[in-house]
């Protein structure tokens, strides 16, 4: 498999009045064409920041201070704002974690889909409307022609997320960045969305960078897993190896905190290996950043 996305030595900084915060330090990872790379870690680890940096959506005054982001061999840091807008809609799709915030409440679902299609492809007019219908059907929304006239508030949370997935697919992207796409959903709906994403990957040959903190979800969908802690990648391995033979103490600690479905097994488990809260990225610990919480 070839590298579709290749990130090397990425540093992301946020200048503040009290000094510069480095949200990501020397991050290096790659995503092969056709695979799912899970990017996991606690809240505040920098996962979403890396995802936003790839598509040039860092919150201001955030900036990339060093490193390379290559997509299909092209350096994305060399692209201007207009070029990145085209890449975002056409070649890289984005699924955000809050479908309510991702959709314009004043526009119908159809208008939002058609607008995205027309900006991301050469399809226009009635053909764009027909493509919008096809996208809704592709993500499992029935009565799709009538649903084009609905507003976001007329959909359930799970259905809104399906619409967001349809928007991400509108430009027929090579890569989809899914930023905690199930976090805002009920558990039963989470499973439906994950199964939908897996089905779409198989049918359309998609590649995912799947950002999450739920290890059970990551284990279900990922081919390889990268573990991030306080702005740094601490371990990358294929899924089975990482879950059966984790090397880094932080990975071991994360896995120790995942509950067992069987109550008897859960009752007999040792205490989780992780304690306390993730430190502030403003003042990270020296040496290994996990050392203040490390059982070793």
């Amino acid at each position: 498999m070839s590298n579709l996305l290749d990130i090397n030595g990425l540093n992301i900084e946020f200048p503040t009045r009290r000094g510069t915060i480095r949200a990501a330090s020397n991050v290096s990872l790659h995503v092969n064409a056709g695979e799912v790379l899970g990017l996991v870690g606690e809240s505040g680890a920098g996962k979403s920041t890396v995802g936003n940096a790839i598509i040039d959506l860092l919150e201001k005054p955030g900036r990339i201070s060093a490193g390379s982001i290559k997509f299909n061999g092209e350096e994305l840091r060399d692209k201007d704002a207009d070029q990145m807008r085209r890449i975002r809609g056409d070649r890289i799709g984005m699924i955000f974690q809050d479908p309510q915030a991702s959709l314009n409440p004043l526009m119908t679902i159809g208008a939002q889909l058609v607008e995205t299609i027309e900006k991301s492809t050469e399809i226009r007019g009635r053909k764009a409307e027909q493509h919008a219908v096809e996208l809704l059907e592709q993500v499992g929304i029935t009565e799709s022609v009538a649903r084009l006239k609905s507003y976001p508030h007329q959909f359930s949370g799970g259905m809104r997320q399906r619409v967001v997935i349809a928007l991400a697919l509108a430009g027929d992207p090579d890569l989809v960045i899914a930023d905690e796409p199930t976090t805002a959903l009920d558990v039963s709906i989470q499973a439906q969305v994950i199964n939908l994403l897996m089905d779409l990957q198989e049918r359309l040959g998609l590649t995912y960078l799947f950002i999450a903190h739920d290890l059970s979800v990551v284990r279900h969908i990922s081919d390889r897993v990268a573990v991030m802690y306080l702005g740094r990648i601490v371990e990358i391995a294929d899924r089975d190896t990482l879950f059966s033979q984790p090397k880094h103490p932080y990975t071991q600690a994360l896995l120790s905190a995942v509950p067992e479905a069987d109550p008897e097994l859960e009752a007999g488990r040792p205490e989780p290996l992780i304690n306390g809260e993730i430190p502030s990225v403003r003042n990270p610990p020296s040496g290994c950043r996990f050392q203040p919480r490390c059982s070793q």
Side-chain angles (χ1 to χ4, degrees), residues 2-292:
S2 59
N3 291 0
L4 183 64
L5 177 69
D6 205 342
I7 299 174
N8 279 296
L10 189 67
N11 290 344
I12 302 171
E13 296 180 344
F14 288 83
T16 70
R17 292 180 181 178
R18 296 167 56 188
T20 298
I21 298 172
R22 180 167 287 184
S25 299
N26 196 30
V27 170
S28 296
L29 56 84
H30 70 271
V31 186
N32 297 315
E35 79 164 349
V36 180
L37 177 70
L39 181 58
V40 302
E42 293 169 279
S43 297
K47 310 181 299 298
S48 295
T49 301
V50 169
N52 289 334
I54 294 169
I55 55 174
D56 194 31
L57 284 183
L58 281 176
E59 291 185 18
K60 302 300 181 185
R63 63 188 181 92
I64 298 172
S65 59
S68 169
I69 305 173
K70 288 186 177 180
F71 177 68
N72 255 342
E74 298 179 38
E75 179 57 65
L76 294 186
R77 293 193 63 197
D78 294 339
K79 307 294 184 184
D80 61 29
D82 287 338
Q83 289 172 321
M84 282 306 302
R85 270 194 290 272
R86 287 194 290 273
I87 288 171
R88 271 199 302 270
D90 182 11
R91 299 168 62 194
I92 303 178
M94 189 79 182
I95 303 170
F96 295 100
Q97 61 179 279
D98 185 355
Q100 182 105 359
S102 301
L103 298 170
N104 187 332
L106 302 180
M107 293 176 65
T108 64
I109 296 301
Q112 294 182 63
L113 278 166
V114 168
E115 180 182 65
T116 302
I117 291 165
E118 292 185 339
K119 285 185 176 181
S120 305
T121 71
E122 300 300 318
I123 303 173
R124 299 289 183 272
R126 293 294 298 272
K127 289 185 177 180
E129 290 183 16
Q130 181 57 41
H131 189 43
V133 170
E134 293 168 357
L135 284 169
L136 290 184
E137 291 173 349
Q138 204 167 58
V139 298
I141 294 179
T142 57
E143 300 178 352
S144 50
V145 174
R147 285 301 214 170
L148 288 180
K149 300 176 182 178
S150 300
Y151 287 85
H153 73 271
Q154 295 174 297
F155 285 75
S156 65
M159 287 304 223
R160 280 194 293 267
Q161 192 61 298
R162 288 174 185 265
V163 173
V164 171
I165 293 170
L167 287 167
L169 299 179
D172 192 22
D174 298 315
L175 172 69
V176 174
I177 300 174
D179 186 6
E180 306 212 26
T182 61
T183 297
L185 306 175
D186 294 338
V187 174
S188 60
I189 305 301
Q190 287 181 17
Q192 294 176 21
V193 171
I194 292 298
N195 289 335
L196 171 64
L197 291 172
M198 294 176 70
D199 179 59
L200 288 169
Q201 185 205 16
E202 185 176 342
R203 282 193 282 128
L204 304 178
L206 296 173
T207 302
Y208 292 136
L209 175 61
F210 189 88
I211 299 169
H213 62 263
D214 188 329
L215 286 167
S216 59
V217 170
V218 169
R219 185 173 193 172
H220 188 60
I221 195 172
S222 302
D223 298 300
R224 290 186 303 122
V225 181
V227 182
M228 194 167 186
Y229 183 77
L230 208 60
R232 288 183 176 170
I233 301 292
V234 298
E235 184 168 0
I236 301 180
D238 68 83
R239 175 189 58 198
D240 294 339
T241 299
L242 185 124
F243 279 88
S244 63
Q245 303 172 48
K247 302 298 184 187
H248 196 281
Y250 179 59
T251 310
Q252 296 169 5
L254 282 181
L255 292 176
S256 75
V258 177
E260 291 282 355
D262 187 322
E264 292 186 7
L265 291 176
E266 176 66 20
R269 286 202 319 156
E271 288 295 313
L273 299 173
I274 192 167
N275 294 297
E277 300 292 331
I278 191 168
S280 171
V281 74
R282 287 181 178 272
N283 187 27
S286 60
C288 174
R289 295 188 171 190
F290 186 55
Q291 53 93 357

